[in-house]
Amino acid sequence: MSGGHSRQKLDLTGQRYGCLTVLGSAENVGSRTAWRCLCDCGQETVVKTHHLRCGHTKTCGCQNGPGGPRPALGLTYIDGTCVEILRTNTIRSNNTSGVPGVDWVASKRLWRAAICFKGKRHYLGCYHKFEDAVKARKQAEEELFDPFLREFAQSTEEAAEG
């Protein structure tokens, strides 16, 4: 073979990265291979190969980490999803559209909408109009985030009363 990447597929099953043990391959995330992993806290999560191998992802998002539990810092994770980040609708520093989950795909000359929830990225489609991509993202937030946050609030209230 002359140059380029090897076409032989890696098998990371059984390997450990931080608090994650690779259980097996998962559905591809975009064009990248992803792996089902079990965190030391007991939660499963899906992580891209690159994120495991470069050390970017070491837990499911829980407060465990190398060296043991860290202070909670006021963040609550359920199934790898941070409740506080959903509530505040945080926009990442590398976001260029001003709307979480909406980005411009220059090669297609389209706006792409996506949403991440419980460790999975859901692609919502590509659109010619920015407004249509935003609408798709907002609808997905209503369908995924809103019931999750309502259920969390209800369980928190019940725990406080109990």
Side-chain angles (χ1 to χ4, degrees):
M1 182 183 335
S2 60
H5 298 288
S6 168
R7 296 207 186 274
Q8 184 177 7
K9 186 172 177 166
L10 290 174
D11 185 2
L12 303 182
T13 304
Q15 293 188 37
R16 201 162 157 79
Y17 298 88
C19 294
L20 299 173
T21 301
V22 179
L23 300 174
S25 64
E27 290 184 30
N28 286 354
V29 179
S31 64
R32 303 292 176 122
T33 302
W35 299 91
R36 286 184 316 104
C37 300
L38 179 64
C39 185
D40 289 348
C41 75
Q43 292 293 323
E44 279 193 32
T45 188
V46 175
V47 184
K48 292 179 185 177
T49 303
H50 173 74
H51 288 199
L52 286 172
R53 297 187 74 207
C54 76
H56 177 74
T57 305
K58 297 178 182 178
T59 71
C60 68
C62 68
Q63 298 307 311
N64 291 326
R70 296 184 300 234
L73 301 174
L75 300 179
T76 308
Y77 286 87
I78 300 172
D79 295 333
T81 295
C82 181
V83 174
E84 290 76 15
I85 289 174
L86 291 188
R87 281 184 180 151
T88 60
N89 203 18
T90 303
I91 298 177
R92 294 171 51 130
S93 62
N94 62 349
N95 181 296
T96 56
S97 73
V99 177
V102 174
D103 66 322
W104 174 251
V105 182
S107 63
K108 295 182 179 182
R109 301 188 49 77
L110 295 171
W111 290 97
R112 176 176 52 196
I115 193 166
C116 292
F117 185 63
K118 294 188 176 183
K120 292 185 180 176
R121 177 175 292 275
H122 303 270
Y123 288 97
L124 308 171
C126 288
Y127 303 87
H128 290 284
K129 294 182 182 176
F130 174 72
E131 298 78 18
D132 292 339
V134 171
K135 183 178 177 181
R137 168 62 190 217
K138 297 297 181 195
Q139 181 178 346
E141 287 177 11
E142 291 171 8
E143 292 172 5
L144 295 173
F145 294 172
D146 292 355
F148 176 83
L149 291 172
R150 278 194 301 274
E151 186 177 315
F152 175 78
Q154 183 179 357
S155 66
T156 304
E157 284 178 23
E158 291 170 0
E161 292 171 1

